[in-house]
């Protein structure tokens, strides 16, 4: 009997939150600060524990639809230029994973101003009180200056918020915030580098038992947040996952292991959330510094996922896809003896997908050219020669799986953008 892993929902949320906040030092801990403030306001209002927990989840992921660095930095301005687009995109991303469906509704309207009560609706839809709490929490968080001692900022921040009572913010919520703001611990928690631990102690998020289908649903959310940031990467993880699953199947993996491999394919580039879109979409030669930023992505993937022990195997399969058999890969320089079969499969799947997929600025390689590149990499001990041979023997079938998966992902990406426009 297979015992499915049990994962604390907050750990999943923390993974996503941390990944999104890697994009710039300016936004480090922003999601968790908003979650803490929103939770605190909800608790002071006497909301149910379920409502408080929804606020934590929504706060931790509220800017998930801000796909570029420019959008993330704009969201840090007290009065943002076009806030509703990223709120709607965030809603569309999060709603597909059932445990986040309520939080998604809060995210959807988290920039709607109160506007003397007219903000109770937006574009014909009810705006939940949780969205207004999230809005206030978000704006308080952006007013905190990380470079200054926080207790001296409280009165100034309260003044800015009070000016907007009835305009941007629901007056009842402003009153609750002002009551919290009189307590030193509130500001010290907000500015704490250990805010993640503080949140975890406050939250009572349930331990969610996920079967493999549940894991797939979660990993698909990760995949979308990773890949949909750029038209250059919109279908990459889908292709890698399809290739990796096919190779694993041909290598004799069980059905359950193949599903684990698909999850690893979805997650393998999670650390690319730390890479600005401007680098991902740059067609000119990358600078040395930009190459270093790119090379950090597998490190970030590994560190983000390592906090969930149930994902240990999946993490190793996904995060080591730039390691080499001869130990000259990155970032850990593992040698062949340190790399599991799953990690070796993922490395081949990633290279194969990268060289055969179409990008907006170039066509994918032909079969002959792709096999030549892979053969050379195997000869150079960059890739496992036995996995490369397995790919060659089943090239057309594996390539067909890749093409089918990537075409479906492209349609999904365009539908995603159209619905949010």
């Amino acid at each position: 009997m297979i015992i499915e892993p049990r994962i604390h929902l907050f750990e999943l949320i923390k993974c996503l939150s941390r990944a999104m906040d890697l994009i710039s030092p300016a936004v480090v801990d922003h999601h968790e600060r908003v979650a803490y403030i929103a939770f605190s306001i909800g608790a002071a209002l006497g909301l149910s524990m379920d409502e408080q927990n929804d606020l934590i989840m929504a706060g931790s992921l509220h800017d998930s639809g801000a796909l570029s660095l420019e959008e993330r930095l704009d969201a840090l301005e007290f009065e943002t230029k076009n806030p509703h687009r990223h709120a709607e995109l965030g809603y569309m991303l999060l709603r597909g994973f059932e445990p986040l469906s309520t939080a998604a509704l809060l995210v959807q309207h988290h920039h709607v101003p109160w506007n003397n009560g007219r903000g109770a609706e937006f574009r014909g839809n009810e705006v939940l009180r949780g969205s207004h709490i999230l809005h206030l929490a978000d704006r308080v968080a952006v007013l905190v200056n990380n470079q200054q001692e926080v207790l001296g900022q409280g009165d100034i921040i309260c003044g800015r918020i009070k000016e907007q009572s009835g305009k941007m913010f629901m007056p009842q919520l402003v009153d609750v915030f002002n009551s919290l703001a009189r307590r030193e611990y509130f500001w010290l928690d907000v500015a704490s580098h250990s805010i993640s631990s503080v949140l975890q102690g406050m939250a009572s998020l349930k331990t969610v038992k996920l079967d493999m289908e549940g894991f797939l649903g979660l990993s698909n959310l990760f995949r979308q947040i990773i890949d949909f940031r750029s038209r250059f990467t919109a279908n990459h993880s889908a292709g890698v996952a399809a290739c990796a699953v096919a190779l694993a199947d041909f290598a004799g993996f069980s059905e359950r292991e193949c599903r684990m491999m698909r999850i690893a394919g979805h997650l393998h580039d999670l650390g690319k959330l730390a890479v600005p879109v401007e680098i991902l979409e740059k067609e000119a030669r990358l600078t040395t510094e930009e190459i270093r930023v790119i090379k950090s992505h597998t490190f970030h993937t590994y560190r983000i996922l390592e906090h969930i022990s149930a994902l240990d195997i999946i993490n190793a399969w996904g995060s080591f896809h730039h390691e080499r058999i001869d130990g000259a890969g990155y970032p850990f320089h593992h040698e062949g003896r340190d790399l599991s079969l799953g990690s070796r499969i993922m490395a081949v799947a990633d290279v194969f997908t990268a060289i055969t997929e179409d990008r907006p600025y170039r066509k994918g390689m032909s079969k002959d050219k792709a096999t030549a590149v892979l053969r050379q990499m195997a000869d150079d001990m960059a890739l496992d020669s036995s996995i490369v041979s397995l790919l060659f023997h089943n090239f057309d079938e594996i390539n067909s799986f890749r093409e089918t998966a990537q075409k479906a992902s492209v349609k999904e990406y365009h539908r995603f953008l159209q619905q949010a426009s």
Side-chain angles (χ1 to χ4, degrees):
M1 178 180 176
I2 296 175
I3 300 176
E4 296 292 353
R6 297 183 68 87
I7 299 179
H8 197 289
L9 184 55
F10 183 73
E11 294 299 323
L12 304 180
I13 302 308
K14 191 160 59 174
C15 280
L16 280 170
S17 179
R18 285 177 173 174
M20 290 185 291
D21 281 354
L22 287 171
I23 193 169
S24 168
V27 298
V28 169
D29 294 335
H30 174 68
H31 278 99
E32 291 181 315
R33 284 183 175 179
V34 173
Y36 172 84
I37 297 168
F39 177 93
S40 298
I41 293 172
L45 280 168
L47 300 187
S48 71
M49 190 54 66
D50 283 344
E51 290 175 304
Q52 293 176 42
N53 288 336
D54 285 333
L55 285 170
I56 286 186
M57 291 189 287
S60 296
L61 302 170
H62 69 280
D63 280 340
S64 54
L67 304 179
S68 70
L69 176 59
E70 180 181 4
E71 286 178 292
R72 286 301 306 278
L73 295 179
D74 178 58
L76 295 184
E77 298 296 324
F78 188 69
E79 296 185 12
T80 56
K81 299 174 185 175
N82 183 25
H84 301 302
R85 180 178 184 274
H86 85 255
E88 185 67 26
L89 289 175
Y91 161 72
M92 291 171 59
L93 285 166
L94 300 177
R95 67 180 177 178
F97 184 56
E98 195 278 331
L100 297 179
S101 57
T102 303
L105 292 172
L106 304 187
V107 168
Q108 184 180 24
H109 297 132
H110 79 275
H111 278 292
V112 175
W114 180 242
N115 196 14
N116 295 312
R118 288 188 287 275
E121 291 186 355
F122 183 70
R123 296 174 181 171
N125 296 312
E126 178 189 5
V127 177
L128 300 176
R129 180 169 58 170
S131 292
H132 287 294
I133 293 174
L134 201 59
H135 185 204
L136 174 57
D138 189 24
R139 298 303 87 190
V140 171
V142 302
L143 290 174
V144 175
N145 186 336
N146 297 331
Q147 307 304 314
Q148 295 180 5
E149 186 278 318
V150 71
L151 292 180
Q153 301 179 51
D155 289 344
I156 297 173
I157 292 173
C158 287
R160 291 288 303 276
I161 297 301
K162 187 175 181 180
E163 288 174 359
Q164 295 298 326
S165 181
K167 302 171 188 174
M168 290 180 70
F169 311 121
M170 186 186 293
Q172 178 195 15
L173 303 183
V174 173
D175 291 341
V176 172
F177 163 69
N178 284 332
S179 177
L180 288 169
R182 289 194 288 270
R183 307 170 189 179
E184 290 85 355
Y185 82 87
F186 172 79
W187 293 110
L188 293 171
D189 276 342
V190 167
S192 172
H193 294 300
S194 302
I195 192 167
S196 179
S197 299
V198 174
L199 263 178
Q200 190 159 4
M202 296 168 66
S204 65
L205 298 177
K206 300 174 183 177
T207 297
V208 177
K209 182 178 181 180
L210 293 176
D211 58 14
M212 207 51 62
E213 287 300 321
F215 268 117
L216 279 170
L218 172 64
S219 71
N220 199 50
L221 170 60
F222 276 73
R223 175 187 66 82
Q224 291 174 331
I225 291 177
I226 297 161
D227 286 357
F228 285 7
R229 296 175 62 225
S230 169
R231 62 194 178 97
F232 286 13
T233 62
N235 63 353
H236 177 68
S237 294
V240 171
C243 291
V245 169
L247 283 168
D249 187 29
F250 287 125
F253 279 41
S254 68
E255 181 180 350
R256 187 172 188 275
E257 288 171 325
C258 285
R259 292 193 176 195
M260 291 171 63
M261 186 62 74
R262 188 177 300 280
I263 294 168
H266 287 167
L267 304 183
H268 80 287
D269 272 347
L270 179 62
K272 278 191 176 174
L273 291 174
V275 180
V277 171
E278 294 75 13
I279 295 179
L280 294 176
E281 296 189 341
K282 186 176 179 180
E283 296 182 39
R285 191 180 188 89
L286 296 179
T287 66
T288 300
E289 182 178 355
E290 288 168 340
I291 291 172
R292 288 172 181 154
V293 172
I294 288 283
K295 290 180 73 172
S296 71
H297 80 274
T298 48
F299 168 82
H300 290 308
T301 299
Y302 184 78
R303 291 302 184 212
I304 291 166
L305 297 177
E306 71 175 341
H307 299 284
I308 302 181
S309 59
L311 296 182
D312 284 350
I313 294 174
I314 289 170
N315 189 12
W317 289 355
S319 297
F320 298 153
H321 64 276
H322 282 297
E323 303 294 332
R324 291 170 50 114
I325 302 301
D326 62 4
Y330 62 87
F332 299 108
H333 290 260
H334 290 317
E335 297 181 8
R337 63 175 178 268
D338 303 316
L339 298 171
S340 67
L341 180 59
S343 298
R344 297 172 186 225
I345 287 173
M346 190 63 66
V348 173
D350 183 62
V351 172
F352 175 71
T353 302
I355 64 179
T356 55
E357 66 188 356
D358 291 334
R359 296 283 177 88
Y361 57 90
R362 56 104 172 133
K363 292 288 290 181
M365 290 184 184
S366 65
K367 180 176 180 178
D368 288 344
K369 192 168 183 180
T371 53
V373 168
L374 290 164
R375 184 176 291 111
Q376 186 62 58
M377 292 184 72
D379 291 344
D380 292 341
M381 296 189 69
L383 299 174
D384 186 316
S385 58
S386 66
I387 304 301
V388 171
S389 295
L390 190 63
L391 172 60
F392 289 169
H393 289 138
N394 301 278
F395 188 100
D396 291 339
E397 188 172 357
I398 292 174
N399 196 43
S400 176
F401 289 141
R402 176 194 64 79
E403 289 179 338
T404 300
Q406 293 197 296
K407 286 177 183 176
S409 185
V410 166
K411 288 182 180 179
E412 180 185 48
Y413 172 66
H414 287 305
R415 185 166 59 248
F416 172 76
L417 294 182
Q418 288 170 0
Q419 290 177 349
S421 62

